[in-house]
Each structure stands twice: as C-alpha cells, then as structure tokens.
Amino acid sequence: MASIFYRPSRVPRQFSAWRTLFQRPASPVRELSRSPFTLESTEKFEEETLSWYSPDSFYPVRIGEVFQSRYQVIGKLGYGGHSTVWLCSDLQQHAYVALKTFERNSTEGQRETEVYYHLDSLNIVDHAGVKLIRTALDSFQITSPEGSFGCLVHPPLGISLYDFRTQLRAKVLPEKIVKLALVHLLLALDYLHIETGIVHTDIQGKNIMMAVEDTAILANFEEEEKSTSSPQKVVGDRVIYASRKLRKTKQHGRPTLCDFGQARRGSNTYCGDIQPYIYRAPEVLLRMPWNEKVDIWNVGVLAWDLFQQGHLFCARDSDKQSSGAHHLAEMIAIMGLPPKEMVRNSVYATEFFDGEGRNNLDSSISLEKLEGNLEGEPQRLFLQFLRKMLRWKPKERESARELLDDPWLRSP
C-alpha cells in the first residue's frame, strides 16, 4: 500500500479548513535570542536514552526553525518512542500549535497519519467522543539527505494524567477525577470502536492529556524560552535540546486521548504484540487473535493504576525481568484459572500451563485485599466496575458504551 506521506496533494478537510479560516497577514518570524547553556557531557540525553536511538533516524529540529514557511519552532515539549514534539507559532493563524516530528520513514508516523485521514473521511461530528480525541490540523513531510520525516500538527495539550498523578503527594488521583477521566476515555473509545473501527492499543496515562484552557501557559513557555534558553547538547552538527514543561495551572480542560501510532483499523481481529507490557490483555500474552476488547482490558488496568498505590500487574520475575509467566500468574491470582478452551486454542500456552490448564506459579489474592482507598459499598461498586473489564474472555468484557452506565461511574 502506498504511503500517504507521498501524496502531498491530498489534504483532509479538517486540515485544509485550518489553512483557509480567517486569512490574515502572516506574523513575522520571531526573533529568539539564543545564549544557550551547552551541556558538555558524553552521557545520553533526552531521545538519546532510547535503546533504539540512531542520530540519522531523528530529524534535527532547531529552535527558531520555520517549517512550511509557517510553523516556527519555539521550544521542545518532549519526546516519545518514535518522535519529538515541539511548541510552534503558526505564523499564518497567529496561534500556538504542537509539531510532532516522527522518526525517518516511521511506521508509527505513517499509521498515525493514516488514522487521521480515516477519521476525517468519516466526517462524524455528532458523537460526544469526537471532541475527546486529539485532532490533527496539518501534515507534511520533511525531506533531507537522510530520508523522509513525517510531521503532524496538533492543537497544544497540557499535562498528561501520568504527570498529573505523579505530581500529587499521594501519587494517586482523587476518585472524582478518576471517574471523570474514565467517562471521557470511554466516550472516546465508544466513538473509535463503534463509529470508526479503530482499536487504540496503547492506552496509558501518558497518552491521555488535558486540553489547554489557560492559554497563558503557552505564552509563558515562549517568554521563558526567550529569556532562558533550554539547555542543549551539541553532537557534531546536531543539537539535542532539553524539554521544557508547561507551567502548572488550575484550569485544566477535558481529558483527551492521544497517540495513534500503534492503532489498528480495517479488520475484525488482529494478531501481534501490542500494548504497554503491564497493560497487555491475556489474549495478547497468549499470542491469540485480538479485537477492540484489548482496549477495554487496558482501561480496567489503567483505572486501578490511576487510583491505587502501585500497578495491578508488575509482570516481572524475581530478577526484575519482564516475564509472561509471572504476568499470567498475577492474572490467575486475581481472576482464577483461564478457561480450558482458551488454553487449548493458544499454541503458546504450553509454555505456561500443563494439560490441566495450571501453572506452577498459581496463587490467589482478592482485589478486596489489594484495594486501599475505599471501603464498604463504594469499594464494592469500584471492584464490580473493574471486574466487568478484567475478564479472560474478550467477549465477556463489557463494551465502552455499556461501561458508561456503570453504577460506580455514575455515583456521586
């Protein structure tokens, strides 16, 4: 299949609308005074710390650079497994945007951009979940001697649920905020699963970010970068910048689901490894076909992690190494043994289970003993909610739409 990265004439409706709305004279290119603090270090820094990092694979974005004669880079917001993210000034629309630049010839970048083309082609506007998914405003290619680098332009977003939680003294979110975040997430998933045929596969706190209500934090980011340049490391002709965080604010917008680099669409079932390791569904661990219900399992484990001290599943052995056997043993301890037909239908299961469907790490522990924030009826309702998602059989997990009617989510 031809990559959409090589179809520059095709511009989605939402992208082209952004280009033509309220045309005004473009802003001049900003003068960004640069007196940077240069790090003299051989230690790995920012995206260099990724085990698969290669200098040729990441485009060397520079602060002050202008792309498409339009997007001027103000500063670095962060980096992910396959991209770097930058706050930019859209000189045509007189607004701040976030620029995501993918690795060279990135499969994740191609997949994410294709998802946005697909969403735009559906033109669905009357589902509540539409506004709870990060939108793309533009896409383009950077071509260099090293190869082609895909880019997406998004509205800027604020703090992630992961960072929000880690900033709190208790390291867990209050119950009301957990419920609010989950309602928004389930609305987004109902839209993706039912209306668009998309499975996200990478639901974690870092990929749920708050919309920006207080736009002053974006202007503050620019002023701080002008007055005190971000530390940087120079490697040959390449500059690697330190990420700068947005200022804290009490005005948070709605939780928004982001990052579709691992999403799948176009089929009823799929195969292959997906999901952050501790969030992997049983069928993924057992290398069985999977569908949109992996997202539902993911929500159940994430709900626990947002609201409790520690992860529900650690998925590591005594040497702290990732272990499918220990991961499955943790699932068995909470849910009991998997159905025998599920074990029989997985050729991989023989590595973990004997002929009776048991493994030598079998143990038992109740969610009631593990749960530490609630008691009585609130605890019962919360765990009942989790158990609707934490099921061995995907078909027995409730859908996002069904979960939205859950008594715990609806309780005050």
Side-chain angles (χ1 to χ4, degrees), residues 119 133 188-198 200 257 260:
L119 291 174
I133 292 170
L189 289 178
D190 182 61
Y191 166 61
L192 290 177
H193 293 171
I194 303 302
E195 304 292 343
T196 75
I198 290 172
H200 189 279
L257 183 59
F260 289 85

Side-chain angles (χ1 to χ4, degrees), residues 23-91:
Q23 290 292 340
R24 296 156 55 190
S27 297
V29 173
R30 276 132 157 105
E31 291 292 333
L32 298 173
S33 59
R34 306 302 300 164
S35 53
F37 173 68
T38 302
L39 300 172
E40 301 294 339
S41 174
T42 58
E43 291 187 13
K44 293 182 178 180
F45 182 60
E46 293 273 307
E47 56 267 25
E48 286 183 305
T49 60
L50 299 170
S51 60
W52 55 88
Y53 174 79
S54 168
D56 292 340
S57 294
F58 282 76
Y59 183 79
V61 176
R62 288 181 178 262
I63 291 176
E65 189 171 2
V66 179
F67 294 102
Q68 302 294 96
S69 303
R70 174 173 186 175
Y71 305 113
Q72 184 178 13
V73 179
I74 301 298
K76 187 177 182 182
L77 289 167
Y79 68 95
H82 304 280
S83 62
T84 55
V85 184
W86 307 80
L87 184 69
C88 295
S89 171
D90 182 342
L91 303 176

Side-chain angles (χ1 to χ4, degrees), residues 279-300:
Y279 292 144
R280 283 187 177 174
E283 60 270 30
V284 177
L285 278 176
L286 293 172
R287 299 183 184 178
M288 301 175 70
W290 49 265
N291 60 18
E292 77 281 353
K293 290 298 182 72
V294 295
D295 282 346
I296 300 301
W297 172 275
N298 205 161
V299 173

Side-chain angles (χ1 to χ4, degrees), residues 72-112:
Q72 184 178 13
V73 179
I74 301 298
K76 187 177 182 182
L77 289 167
Y79 68 95
H82 304 280
S83 62
T84 55
V85 184
W86 307 80
L87 184 69
C88 295
S89 171
D90 182 342
L91 303 176
Q92 291 184 18
Q93 295 297 331
H94 310 273
Y96 291 107
V97 294
L99 173 67
K100 188 173 187 178
T101 62
F102 293 100
E103 283 181 297
R104 179 186 56 188
N105 303 327
S106 167
T107 300
E108 288 74 16
Q110 177 175 330
R111 185 181 288 130
E112 184 162 16

Side-chain angles (χ1 to χ4, degrees), residues 129-140:
V130 172
K131 295 182 179 180
L132 304 176
I133 292 170
R134 189 175 210 176
T135 57
L137 304 171
D138 198 0
S139 66
F140 60 90

Side-chain angles (χ1 to χ4, degrees), residues 72 119 135 175 203 229 238 247 290 330 345 362 365 367 382 400 409:
Q72 184 178 13
L119 291 174
T135 57
E175 184 179 6
I203 298 169
S229 299
R238 175 179 297 267
R247 280 190 183 181
W290 49 265
E330 290 178 298
N345 290 335
D362 288 2
I365 190 169
L367 289 176
F382 173 60
L409 278 187

Side-chain angles (χ1 to χ4, degrees), residues 351-387:
E351 294 193 20
F352 305 110
F353 299 98
D354 62 21
E356 297 300 316
R358 298 181 180 276
N359 74 7
N360 59 11
L361 297 174
D362 288 2
S363 60
S364 178
I365 190 169
S366 70
L367 289 176
E368 284 77 7
K369 290 183 178 179
L370 291 174
E371 202 286 318
N373 287 341
L374 301 170
E375 57 185 25
E377 183 66 2
Q379 185 191 70
R380 187 188 72 80
L381 291 175
F382 173 60
L383 298 183
Q384 175 183 274
F385 171 69
L386 290 188
R387 287 180 172 125

